[in-house]
């Protein structure tokens, strides 16, 4: 069939234009600004190309024609239409800042935060804050939590409506908070406020900007292209700019037992499509998700695209939750399995999704539970040769084990987890059918009972191979809460390591870790993990917490260099032979191999000609260890905080405890985290050692549950 090239001028790209195209046509978007006022819906189409000419830009912003007047001081105002949902304002091509407290500070959490953002003293300054927004971190720093201000109560406290953007509760962090879209907070250059009730737009223009000559655009449209029930469609060389922030106008869907709730929309949205190619496109200042692949999709390729300074996630592959058998959610953690059939129930989920050669940076500007690539209820998603950096949370996130088979290959991931906590550049959960079998707990118990159900959901092995992962907090490859059926091989981790928590059948092979440990937390009985041929060079090369009896982890031919042992970095790229491990953790585990076989791998990672991280190692902190009151305790670090699900780093970790000491008789045990003793909060092991007199009460955390031990137990 002869393909016809149809020129589309700015203003002509609409759902109606797309509907008139015939099979095989090329819609050629000519240079200029294509303003999308409502999503271009393309349904039930086969063999269609949408190609952008150099200089063609798609945007969700609309030009405003305004007459400005000086209002108060340096603030100008102009009358616009009423009841617009303006989530971003662009002036002379630059995105301005919604009026906020505290004022914007680049590089800070939330762009600036203040614990008094909702204080009575602050709120008294606001005449009518209805329509304002609160953005903050989750109270345990597990992503973000956001709210709409609906008014003021009789006592002048703000009435907040949670938007539901986290699957782990609506708790708001006491310090990491900011407020925006409130007129009284308009007090800095390039800030703006729009009052939808009367239509007035207020802007504090810099002195070098003439309001009467400024090009002002209101960003009003969040989704630009929607493909539904389509096949063999190609989007090429499209430059997508300035789409609406979607978080305050969306319904959030809670995703299995992951930490995620997500708004199911994107600047480009795909549903029930096959053989779709998105190639050479740019996503800049997208307000929400960039590409959302929803429900049944097959063979979707996203290649050589840039994702820069966007509000939420990059590429999202999310299947229908009903395809997960015996689905557990946080409101109903199933403790029995009724459906023992392996794999999905139905085919309403993405399969064979490829994300290759893409560049992601500065995503999650607004939504902190976000990631450049995030996956749920999908199969065989490949992320290969991408560069991913400068993010508030993970670079790649997998919400649960359903249904595995993913390939994470040849990527460079760095400068992640910059605004949140207890996470890693790569993060996964495995809270699948087996996880609560025999009773919900997070201590790695009942492993022998769970083993038979380990691969009911994670039916295919996920491979994480040959990635450069660099960080200075958290865990580099964070297999959390039962993540199962993984092969982790040939990765180069600097400053962050590899963590296995609970879970079954993980092979960790031929990885190099510098300046961070290999973490093993809450290990199941009969776990079947294999750790072989790795090199770990760190002040503490192994961090083992809460290992349960009956574990079957196999350690074979690893090199653990730690403590005072020196090494030359260049030596670590060579094959080791006849190297005797130093004394310490390796001896304790019986790992003293006569030969170390480490197969060197290429140091080429990520996209060519894209930035790579500074590989300087962070200084490893000293947890501090004290022996007192019949116990050996240490400080709370990232590992202990993660294991205990703690909100912060307060408390002490019980490494050893004598069965005859008063702490033990009260009820404390090895691997507990002691938060308070005798009513006094513990900040670290030195405070524990300084306790004078008898211990009469203890507040502790065990398996992420708070326990109180008091003197009455003794009496």
């Amino acid at each position: 069939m002869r393909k016809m090239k149809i020129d589309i001028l700015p203003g002509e790209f609409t759902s109606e234009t797309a509907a008139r195209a015939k099979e095989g046509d090329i819609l050629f978007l000519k240079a200029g600004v294509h303003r999308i006022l409502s999503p271009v819906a393309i349904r039930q189409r086969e063999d269609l190309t949408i190609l952008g000419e150099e200089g063609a830009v798609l945007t969700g912003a609309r030009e405003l024609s305004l007459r400005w007047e000086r209002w108060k001081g340096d603030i100008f105002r102009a009358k616009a239409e009423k009841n617009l949902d303006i989530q971003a304002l662009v002036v002379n091509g630059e995105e301005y800042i919604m009026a906020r407290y505290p004022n914007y500070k680049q590089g800070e959490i939330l762009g600036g935060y203040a614990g008094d953002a909702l204080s009575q003293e602050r709120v008294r300054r606001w005449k009518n804050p209805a329509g304002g927004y609160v953005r903050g971190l989750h109270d345990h720093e597990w992503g973000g939590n956001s709210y709409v201000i609906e008014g003021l109560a009789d006592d002048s406290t703000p009435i907040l409506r949670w938007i539901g953007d986290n699957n782990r509760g609506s708790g708001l962090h006491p310090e990491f908070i900011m407020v925006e879209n409130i007129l009284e907070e308009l007090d800095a250059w390039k800030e703006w406020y729009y009052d939808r009730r009367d239509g007035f737009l207020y802007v504090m223009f810099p002195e070098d900007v003439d309001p009467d000559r400024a090009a002002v655009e209101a960003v009003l449209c969040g989704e630009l292209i929607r493909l539904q029930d389509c096949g063999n469609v190609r989007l090429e060389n499209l430059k997508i700019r300035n789409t609406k922030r979607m978080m305050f106008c969306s319904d959030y869907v809670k995703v299995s037992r992951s930490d995620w709730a997500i708004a199911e929309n994107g600047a480009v949205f795909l549903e029930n499509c096959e053989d779709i190619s998105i190639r050479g496109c740019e996503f800049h200042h997208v307000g929400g998700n960039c590409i959302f692949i929803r429900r049944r999709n097959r063979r979707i390729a996203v290649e050589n695209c840039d994702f820069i300074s966007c509000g939420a996630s990059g590429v999202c592959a999310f299947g229908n939750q009903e395809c997960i058998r015996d689905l557990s959610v946080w409101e109903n953690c199933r403790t029995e399995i009724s459906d023992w059939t392996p794999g999905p129930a139905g085919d309403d989920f993405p399969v064979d999704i490829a994300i290759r050669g893409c560049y992601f940076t500065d995503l999650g500007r607004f939504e902190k539970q976000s990631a450049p690539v995030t996956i749920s209820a999908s199969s065989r998603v490949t992320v290969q040769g991408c560069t991913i950096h400068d993010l508030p949370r993970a670079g790649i996130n997998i919400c649960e084990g359903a249904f595995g088979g993913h390939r994470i290959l040849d990527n460079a991931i760095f400068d992640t987890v910059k605004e949140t906590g207890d996470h890693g550049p790569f993060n996964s959960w495995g809270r699948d059918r087996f996880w609560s079998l025999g009773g919900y707990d997070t201590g790695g118990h009942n492993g022998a009972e769970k083993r038979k159900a380990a691969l009911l959901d994670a039916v295919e092995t996920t491979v994480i191979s040959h990635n450069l992962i660099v960080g200075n907090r958290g865990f580099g490859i964070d297999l959390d809460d039962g993540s199962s059926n993984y092969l982790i091989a040939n990765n180069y981790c600097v400053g962050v390591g590899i963590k296995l928590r609970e879970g079954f059948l993980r092979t960790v092979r031929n990885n190099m870790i510098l300046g961070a440990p290999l973490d093993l937390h809450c290990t199941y009985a009969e776990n079947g993990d294999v750790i072989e041929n790795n090199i770990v060079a760190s002040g503490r090369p192994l961090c083992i917490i809460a290992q349960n009896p009956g574990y079957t982890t196999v350690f074979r031919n690893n090199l653990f260099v730690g403590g005072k042992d020196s090494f030359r970095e260049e030596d670590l790229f060579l094959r080791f032979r006849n190297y005797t491990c130093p004394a310490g953790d390796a001896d304790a585990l019986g790992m003293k191999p006569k030969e170390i076989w480490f197969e060197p791998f290429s140091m080429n990672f990520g996209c060519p000609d894209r930035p790579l991280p500074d590989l300087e190692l962070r200084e490893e902190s000293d947890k501090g260890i004290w022996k007192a009151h019949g116990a050996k305790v240490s400080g709370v670090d990232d590992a202990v905080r993660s294991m205990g699900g703690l909100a912060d780093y307060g408390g002490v970790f019980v490494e050893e405890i004598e069965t005859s000491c008063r702490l033990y008789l009260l009820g404390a045990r090895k691997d507990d985290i002691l938060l308070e003793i005798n009513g006094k909060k513990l900040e670290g092991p030195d405070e524990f050692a300084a306790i004078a007199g008898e211990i009469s009460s203890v507040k502790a955390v065990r398996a992420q549950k708070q326990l109180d031990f008091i003197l009455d137990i003794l009496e």
Side-chain angles (χ1 to χ4, degrees), residues 45-47 227-234 270-277 293 296-301 347 351-353:
R45 303 308 306 275
E46 295 288 335
D47 193 9
L227 300 178
Q228 294 177 285
D229 302 302
C230 293
N232 196 21
V233 174
R234 293 161 296 282
L270 284 71
E271 185 172 63
N272 303 333
C273 294
E274 296 184 355
D275 300 301
I276 307 297
S277 172
I293 303 168
R296 191 190 188 282
N297 290 270
R298 299 292 185 270
R299 299 175 300 282
I300 311 298
D347 64 353
V351 181
D352 293 327
I353 311 300

Side-chain angles (χ1 to χ4, degrees), residues 258-297:
S258 74
D259 287 5
W260 277 62
I262 194 164
E264 294 186 316
N265 46 50
V268 174
F269 179 89
L270 284 71
E271 185 172 63
N272 303 333
C273 294
E274 296 184 355
D275 300 301
I276 307 297
S277 172
I278 303 173
R279 186 189 303 271
C281 297
E282 298 178 3
F283 297 81
H284 288 212
H285 287 85
V286 167
N289 303 313
C290 299
I291 299 174
F292 202 96
I293 303 168
R294 182 175 185 265
R295 302 185 72 156
R296 191 190 188 282
N297 290 270

Side-chain angles (χ1 to χ4, degrees), residues 556-675:
R556 186 164 50 222
N557 297 328
N558 299 283
L559 172 63
F560 292 88
V561 182
K564 299 178 180 179
D565 299 286
S566 61
F567 63 93
R568 293 183 305 156
E569 185 171 335
E570 58 268 25
D571 290 342
L572 298 177
F573 294 95
L574 307 176
R575 176 176 294 179
F576 282 77
R577 291 190 182 187
N578 300 318
Y579 194 103
T580 301
C581 286
D585 289 324
D587 273 346
L589 287 168
M591 295 176 294
K592 202 166 184 181
K594 295 179 180 179
E595 290 187 325
I596 296 292
W597 286 94
F598 181 84
E599 188 67 34
F601 45 75
S602 163
M603 288 291 121
N604 295 321
F605 304 95
C607 302
D609 304 319
R610 294 295 190 177
L612 287 174
D614 182 355
L615 296 184
E616 181 179 352
L617 295 177
R618 64 174 170 173
E619 183 177 345
E620 295 183 67
S621 60
D622 183 4
K623 293 202 310 177
I625 295 178
W626 289 79
K627 291 183 178 180
H629 310 290
K632 176 183 174 183
V633 302
S634 61
V636 173
D637 59 6
D638 282 339
V640 173
R641 182 183 178 188
S642 176
M643 186 272 291
L646 303 180
D648 53 37
Y649 294 93
V652 297
F653 177 62
V654 180
E655 299 204 0
E656 297 176 6
I657 187 168
E658 298 173 5
T659 58
S660 60
C661 75
R662 190 173 180 84
L663 267 174
Y664 188 93
L665 295 175
L666 277 167
R669 295 293 183 268
K670 182 180 183 298
D671 296 326
D672 282 354
I673 302 158
L674 309 182
L675 302 180

Side-chain angles (χ1 to χ4, degrees), residues 29-34 51-58 237-241:
L29 275 57
K30 300 292 287 183
V33 179
H34 296 255
L51 174 64
E53 184 180 29
E54 192 64 31
V57 174
L58 280 71
N237 198 36
L238 302 179
K239 293 177 173 59
I240 293 175
R241 302 281 193 277

